[in-house]
Amino acid sequence: MRSEWKQHARHALKGKWWLMAGLALLFVIINGIPQSFAPEIDPNSTAPLTSTDATLSFVSTVLQILIAPLTIGWSWLALGVSREKGASLSTMFKPFQTRYFKHVITSFVMSLFIVLWTLLLIVPGIIKAFSYSLTPYILRDQPELSALESITESRRLMDGHKMEAFMLFLSFFGWFLVGILTLGIGFFFIGPYFSTTYATFYDSIRQAERPQTNHAGTDFEQGF
């Protein structure tokens, strides 16, 4: 199946590689804005933060939260490409235009859950990251769901598919090395390739399901 998902992604990206690479560059630039405000802090220093450093850290954190829907927009962009509906800048910014606060809350809750699981052990954190990884697509396909319901639905869909997702990720390891060897430039093409493949993986899970009513919040207890 992995080879089929990749083949579909390559076919869907035909004629769109450079456009997606440009959008990936824009995505990276915007996500780097909060970091540009973050002060350089010596982890070995015991001195308290200055008021300026504390303010800059606060601004950086707030900006990270405010632009969090951009990651959801990237997933929507990849999903649109996978479904051969084209690629456009407006798609990447759609989560800012509709249900913005729900998308901010969803991103925050997902990150919080993953951090809490990672504090227990690294492996549970990785497993949960895969469990929640379909949430951005669900926000697009089932906008009526709340933030927590969307996360819960992702957990339900990923039940029995987390190893598939992990193996799919590992299958790109060689490409990730290429990205490193090209000093990061290759990632502007590898990123869209991986994202479109993962969106195809999501659709394959959806298509494999029998027609059924929404189980979010019923098959699983909502939460972690």
Side-chain angles (χ1 to χ4, degrees):
M1 290 296 292
R2 290 192 298 274
S3 61
E4 294 177 7
W5 296 332
K6 289 181 175 181
Q7 183 179 8
H8 175 84
R10 290 193 299 271
H11 174 76
L13 282 164
K14 188 175 181 180
K16 305 181 185 71
W17 285 103
W18 285 100
L19 173 59
M20 290 296 287
L23 292 174
L25 174 60
L26 179 62
F27 175 81
V28 170
I29 291 173
I30 295 175
N31 272 306
I33 292 175
Q35 191 59 36
S36 67
F37 285 89
E40 293 186 9
I41 300 176
D42 184 0
N44 299 319
S45 175
T46 57
L49 289 178
T50 65
S51 59
T52 300
D53 286 347
T55 300
L56 289 174
S57 295
F58 175 76
V59 170
S60 177
T61 301
V62 170
L63 285 176
Q64 284 180 327
I65 294 173
L66 293 178
I67 68 170
L70 187 66
T71 301
I72 296 174
W74 176 262
S75 296
W76 290 10
L77 176 64
L79 186 62
V81 171
S82 175
R83 292 174 177 177
E84 301 188 9
K85 294 183 178 180
S88 67
L89 179 64
S90 61
T91 301
M92 194 163 71
F93 288 97
K94 197 73 173 176
F96 289 90
Q97 301 167 3
T98 59
R99 302 177 178 86
Y100 170 73
F101 289 106
K102 187 180 83 169
H103 296 149
V104 169
I105 292 170
T106 304
S107 299
F108 176 78
V109 172
M110 281 177 56
S111 299
L112 178 62
F113 284 176
I114 292 172
V115 167
L116 291 176
W117 279 104
T118 304
L119 288 176
L120 296 177
L121 282 173
I122 296 296
V123 174
I126 294 174
I127 292 174
K128 287 301 178 180
F130 280 112
S131 293
Y132 306 152
S133 63
L134 302 185
T135 303
Y137 311 119
I138 293 167
L139 288 170
R140 182 208 176 279
D141 287 344
Q142 296 177 265
E144 72 279 1
L145 298 183
S146 68
L148 200 56
E149 286 172 338
S150 298
I151 295 172
T152 303
E153 177 68 356
S154 177
R155 289 173 51 220
R156 185 186 73 80
L157 287 175
M158 285 297 285
D159 187 36
H161 296 284
K162 287 185 284 293
M163 182 56 69
E164 282 182 276
F166 180 65
M167 295 305 296
L168 178 60
F169 177 82
L170 286 184
S171 72
F172 277 86
F173 184 74
W175 284 112
F176 296 150
L177 287 179
V178 171
I180 294 172
L181 292 175
T182 56
L183 304 179
I185 296 175
F187 281 114
F188 294 116
F189 298 92
I190 298 167
Y193 181 25
F194 174 78
S195 298
T196 304
T197 302
Y198 205 81
T200 304
F201 163 68
Y202 160 74
D203 270 341
S204 73
I205 295 176
R206 278 292 194 194
Q207 292 166 6
E209 286 214 318
R210 298 190 306 272
Q212 54 186 301
T213 56
N214 174 35
H215 292 273
T218 56
D219 284 4
F220 294 101
E221 181 182 355
Q222 292 184 27
F224 284 64

